[in-house]
Amino acid sequence: MGKLVSTVFVSLDGVYQAPGGPDEDTSGGFDQGGWTFPYGDDDSGRFITGVFDSAGGFLLGRRTYEIFASHWPGKTDPADPIASRLNTLPKYVVSSTLTAPEWSGTTVVSGDLAKEVTALKERTDGELQISGSGALVRSLVDLRLLDTLHLMTFPVVLGEGRRLFGDGALPTRFTRRCGHVTGAGVSIQTYDLAGRPEYGSY
């Protein structure tokens, strides 16, 4: 069975909306898109490339899928380690309204999320990876289906936008596996889901 692995970019206040560009996602009037740009360096690039090296397929939320589908099919260099995988490996998009995806290799997941994702994990050789898709990641954590979370935290507070874990998230404990801080100050930490929190007192 493949592992379900997520990579999410967040600000210090937990915002994951539109990290990659001003026009990426302006929903809710969000006008701070592209907030990760000043922190891009070779260190972050090597980490992301390493993550994609382990991919056996991709699971995406509808919004992230549309952002990716408008960009990556036009990147056809076979030596590009990210584009080559996104364009050739199976892609699954969670949506109740999308019926005819145009990006080659895409399957729509519209049924019971827990059942469908469990089946996808069982038949994926390698990691079933989620990029972005914060709302989907939150749902999969709540369902206890996510195995590993790569959390890239950028040294910026945005004060608005969609947050990865807001009020109502199911209490969840993670175990840190590894991590480091890039030269640009991005904290890259890898956590494995470990169940419910443990409590005590001092």
Side-chain angles (χ1 to χ4, degrees):
M1 175 188 281
K3 290 178 64 179
L4 184 60
V5 178
S6 167
T7 302
V8 185
F9 297 175
V10 295
S11 65
L12 287 175
D13 53 338
V15 174
Y16 69 87
Q17 186 171 356
D23 301 320
E24 194 173 64
D25 179 6
T26 59
S27 61
F30 188 71
D31 63 359
Q32 297 190 68
W35 47 270
T36 64
F37 179 78
Y39 307 100
D41 61 10
D42 289 344
D43 201 357
S44 292
R46 278 191 298 271
F47 176 77
I48 294 295
T49 299
V51 169
F52 273 82
D53 283 345
S54 300
F58 300 97
L59 178 66
L60 301 168
R62 172 70 181 267
R63 187 178 284 110
T64 300
Y65 174 80
E66 289 180 341
I67 292 168
F68 278 24
S70 69
H71 176 76
W72 290 109
K75 305 295 182 182
T76 57
D77 180 358
D80 185 321
I82 297 176
S84 60
R85 285 169 173 78
L86 282 170
N87 286 320
T88 59
L89 290 173
K91 291 166 289 291
Y92 307 97
V93 55
V94 177
S95 175
S96 58
T97 56
L98 185 65
T99 55
E102 296 181 3
W103 193 4
S104 175
T106 299
T107 301
V108 177
V109 175
S110 59
D112 179 273
L113 186 63
K115 184 184 296 184
E116 297 250 15
V117 172
T118 298
L120 290 177
K121 287 174 66 174
E122 288 175 350
R123 68 170 183 256
T124 298
D125 184 17
E127 294 180 355
L128 181 61
Q129 293 188 352
I130 314 170
S131 294
S133 309
L136 176 61
V137 171
R138 159 91 173 263
S139 295
L140 294 168
V141 169
D142 288 355
L143 289 168
R144 302 302 194 235
L145 286 174
L146 189 74
D147 295 295
T148 299
L149 172 63
H150 299 303
L151 194 67
M152 298 182 67
T153 304
F154 291 73
V156 59
V157 170
L158 300 173
E160 64 174 340
R162 286 193 303 277
R163 286 170 169 78
L164 182 58
F165 295 113
D167 290 349
L170 192 67
T172 304
R173 175 171 53 92
F174 291 85
T175 300
R176 179 181 180 272
R177 189 197 308 165
C178 60
H180 70 282
V181 179
T182 71
V186 179
S187 175
I188 302 176
Q189 304 295 327
T190 296
Y191 300 98
D192 293 328
L193 195 141
R196 291 190 61 82
E198 296 174 348
Y199 304 96
S201 64
Y202 290 97

